[in-house]
């Protein structure tokens, strides 16, 4: 059967971006085995012919009710699929789903019955919040950056805004491009609805959310921008780690220098 992407360049371009970012996650060592997941709201690219397609799966519960997702469609990485395989063959390792009218369940529509990511509750909760916020954000990413996850094994870094200030102080760009910083969600069971709820709570205040001893989540207008947020934080973590492994504690930019940046960039 023909792919849903055939003759739909705008939808194909969104899936292409996901594949490109999936490759970066693998190359960075942030995506061991099936680690991490990506979802993109593709509703604007869904035409009447797609809407008429039958489901190719049973109806699955999301695990929570998300009222803003009524009538929405998502491209999702498949559960237990490798990020590096998603990079090369996105439609074999991910699928397009539609949210049903109860806002609490979904079905798979194309191309293959690949069940979405185990973190779907968190991802769809983030999308629900993005729609409520009305800023046109369409993408969510969860990944396992080695440096940032390692930092959460130090209890001192888990206190409110300690890690954010440390990471901001490593290089000015992090302050500029991740202006709301990194929120911390204390350890919770992967895939749980509790994790999803804590994630969207933290996203009210922060750009990126760290799941203690697990990984980060970020959202953005598209998947490139969501990835960039994590990438700048990881760069800061790398600078910190490099200084520490040279045998000294990095001084960091001063509070004054950061305040100056905040004023100059209107952060
Ligand atoms: O999809 O990263 O948190 C695999 C995971 C679960
Ligand atoms: Zn994970």
């Amino acid at each position: 059967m023909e792919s849903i992407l055939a003759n739909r360049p705008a939808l194909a371009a969104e899936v292409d971006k996901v594949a490109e970012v999936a490759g970066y996650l693998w190359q960075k060592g942030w995506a061991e085995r099936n680690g991490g997941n990506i979802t993109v709201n593709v509703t604007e690219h869904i035409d009447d012919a797609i809407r008429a397609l039958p489901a190719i799966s049973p109806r699955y519960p999301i695990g929570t009710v998300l009222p803003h997702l009524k009538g929405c469609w998502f491209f999702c990485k498949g559960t237990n699929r490798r990020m590096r395989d998603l990079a090369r063959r996105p439609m074999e390792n991910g699928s397009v789903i539609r949210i049903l009218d109860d806002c609490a369940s979904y079905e798979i529509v194309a191309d293959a019955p690949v069940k979405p990511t185990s973190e779907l509750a968190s991802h769809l909760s983030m999308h629900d919040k993005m729609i409520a916020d009305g800023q046109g954000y369409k993408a969510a990413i969860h990944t396992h950056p080695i440096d940032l996850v390692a930092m959460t094994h130090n209890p001192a870094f888990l206190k409110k805004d300690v890690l954010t200030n440390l990471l901001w102080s490593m290089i000015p760009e992090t302050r500029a491009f991740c202006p709301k910083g990194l929120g911390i969600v204390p350890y919770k069971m992967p895939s749980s609805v509790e994790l999803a709820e804590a994630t969207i709570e933290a996203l009210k205040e922060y750009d990126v959310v760290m799941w203690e001893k697990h990984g980060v989540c970020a959202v953005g207008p598209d998947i490139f921008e969501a990835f960039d947020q994590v990438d700048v934080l990881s760069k800061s973590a790398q600078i910190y780690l490099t200084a520490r492994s040279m045998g000294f504690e990095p001084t960091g930019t001063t509070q004054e220098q950061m305040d100056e940046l905040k004023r100059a960039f209107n952060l």
Side-chain angles (χ1 to χ4, degrees):
M1 225 189 70
E2 194 172 62
S3 171
I4 195 179
L5 303 185
N7 302 315
R8 291 191 178 95
L11 181 60
E14 286 310 310
V15 174
D16 252 17
K17 288 194 216 171
V18 170
E20 184 176 328
V21 168
Y24 300 154
L25 298 180
W26 166 249
Q27 286 158 15
K28 282 186 162 289
W30 297 354
E32 73 293 344
R33 198 177 180 275
N34 63 317
N37 23 76
I38 295 175
T39 55
V40 178
N41 185 335
V42 292
T43 312
E44 66 186 306
H45 305 299
I46 301 301
D47 54 33
D48 290 344
I50 300 178
R51 284 177 200 284
L53 291 173
I56 55 170
S57 78
R59 182 178 183 140
Y60 296 114
I62 298 170
T64 178
V65 186
L66 300 166
H68 298 100
L69 297 192
K70 192 169 182 165
C72 283
W73 294 67
F74 295 91
F75 176 75
C76 306
K77 173 184 173 281
T79 185
N80 232 335
R81 301 300 172 121
R82 296 183 184 91
M83 205 54 90
R84 63 182 191 263
D85 292 338
L86 186 73
R88 287 175 301 155
R89 296 186 300 275
M91 294 308 281
E92 287 172 37
N93 295 282
S95 59
V96 173
I97 65 167
R98 76 171 142 235
I99 307 298
L100 296 168
D101 281 350
D102 61 2
C103 300
S105 57
Y106 69 91
E107 54 197 18
I108 305 168
V109 177
D111 285 346
V114 174
K115 192 149 190 243
T117 161
S118 59
E119 302 290 2
L120 194 66
S122 279
H123 275 260
L124 292 182
S125 297
M126 289 191 273
H127 284 288
D128 188 72
K129 181 182 181 300
M130 287 189 265
I131 293 171
D133 288 348
Q135 288 175 321
Y137 278 27
K138 300 277 164 62
I141 190 171
H142 160 63
T143 186
H144 301 164
I146 303 165
D147 37 31
L148 292 168
V149 175
M151 291 176 105
T152 70
H153 288 264
N154 176 1
F157 289 158
L158 300 177
K159 299 206 181 88
K160 189 168 168 62
D161 297 335
V162 171
L163 207 42
T164 293
N165 280 301
L166 177 70
L167 295 169
W168 277 347
S169 77
M170 289 297 105
I171 177 171
E173 271 77 357
T174 301
R175 181 76 175 88
F177 297 124
C178 199
K180 287 159 64 185
L182 179 64
I184 309 280
V185 169
Y187 184 84
K188 292 193 168 45
M189 184 65 190
S191 310
S192 63
V193 170
E194 295 71 49
L195 182 58
E197 286 168 355
T199 303
I200 54 162
E201 208 41 50
L203 271 182
K204 290 181 185 163
E205 203 177 333
Y206 298 96
D207 292 317
V208 184
V209 174
M210 168 61 77
W211 293 346
E212 180 188 341
K213 302 183 183 102
H214 179 168
V216 298
C217 288
V219 295
D222 70 1
I223 196 59
F224 290 154
E225 297 211 30
F227 168 79
D228 285 341
Q229 295 270 306
V230 184
D231 199 27
V232 295
L233 289 169
S234 167
K235 166 57 68 77
S236 276
Q238 284 290 313
I239 294 168
Y240 177 77
L241 158 67
T242 306
R244 291 298 304 247
S245 49
M246 289 171 178
F248 62 90
E249 177 76 25
T251 51
T253 55
T254 63
Q255 189 60 47
E256 202 175 27
Q257 289 164 334
M258 283 199 273
D259 290 346
E260 186 191 12
L261 204 69
K262 187 175 172 190
R263 283 192 302 275
F265 286 85
N266 229 340
L267 303 171

